[in-house]
Amino acid sequence: MRHHRADVVDRALTVLDTYGLADLTMRRLAGELGVQPSALYHHFPNKQSLLAAVADELLARGRRHATSSQRPAAWDARVEAVCTELRDAMLAYRDGAELVATVRSFGLGAATPYDELADALTDGGLEPSLVPTAARTLLHYVFGHAVDEQTHLQAGAVGAIEDAPRDDSDFALGLQIVVDGTRLLTGARSAQPA
């Protein structure tokens, strides 16, 4: 049976969620698809390009809004929406945070959240020279928090730590602290918390 690129990415997401990032190998994926590993290279020249496609698909599946125009109008509310959506998308799959953060840091994919954050920050009046740093800072916060959450949950699940799963997350509060700091740099007060 001949598989399409989308079939390969879909199965790779299943392998990721079932076995984790370390076990998402070309050999395992080929076995899951019932093909030789060399057949995968018809769709992806290397494992890194496969991982980039998987990360992009993971993010696409996690989108709450079909288009960025459906996001809140206020720049800071958009930033919060993008960051929350990113976190939720990564936490939906085992090792999702590690995958997306790695692909992003290698410049292979997972660019949409950065682009949306940069657009929102620009719309908020942030000094253009600060936009890349502010967007990366927000991404680093989201990646770091999500990796911490996933690591804690997975370590607890296999008995590596005795901590119970955390009842709640301080993600929203931490994000608000970062956004508030950015808001001070813009001098804007467009979406104050209720």
Side-chain angles (χ1 to χ4, degrees):
M1 175 180 186
R2 187 160 203 260
H3 296 283
H4 297 283
R5 181 181 170 97
D7 301 327
V8 175
V9 171
D10 185 59
R11 186 59 64 91
L13 271 168
T14 301
V15 171
L16 173 71
D17 206 31
T18 304
Y19 302 104
L21 185 57
D23 289 326
L24 177 51
T25 64
M26 298 299 257
R27 182 177 304 277
R28 180 181 292 271
L29 181 56
E32 291 278 327
L33 290 166
V35 299
Q36 293 295 315
S38 59
L40 298 178
Y41 294 102
H42 172 73
H43 300 290
F44 301 98
N46 52 47
K47 182 178 177 183
Q48 291 75 22
S49 62
L50 168 68
L51 294 178
V54 172
D56 286 338
E57 179 63 20
L58 182 154
L59 294 175
R61 290 182 182 190
R63 290 186 67 81
R64 291 193 188 115
H65 302 94
T67 66
S68 58
S69 65
Q70 294 175 317
R71 294 206 185 278
W75 74 268
D76 43 1
R78 275 192 356 240
V79 164
E80 291 171 8
V82 170
C83 290
T84 301
E85 182 177 276
L86 172 59
R87 172 188 173 260
D88 292 349
M90 292 187 300
L91 292 179
Y93 292 89
R94 180 178 177 178
D95 295 336
E98 182 182 354
L99 170 66
V100 173
T102 300
V103 165
R104 167 75 185 133
S105 70
F106 288 177
L108 299 173
T112 301
Y114 173 87
D115 294 342
E116 290 181 346
L117 289 170
D119 288 346
L121 293 163
T122 299
D123 291 349
L126 189 61
E127 176 70 35
S129 65
L130 296 177
V131 168
T133 300
R136 283 191 307 270
T137 299
L138 286 157
L139 287 179
H140 294 161
Y141 171 72
V142 178
F143 292 156
H145 202 284
V147 166
D148 178 68
E149 287 182 278
Q150 280 191 323
T151 301
H152 186 271
L153 184 63
Q154 291 171 6
V158 297
I161 58 174
E162 293 183 23
D163 289 352
R166 297 172 180 152
D167 292 333
D168 58 355
S169 172
D170 62 356
F171 174 79
L173 178 59
L175 178 58
Q176 190 62 56
I177 290 168
V178 177
V179 171
D180 283 348
T182 306
R183 192 179 290 117
L184 290 174
L185 292 173
T186 66
R189 303 265 178 209
S190 60
Q192 292 297 315

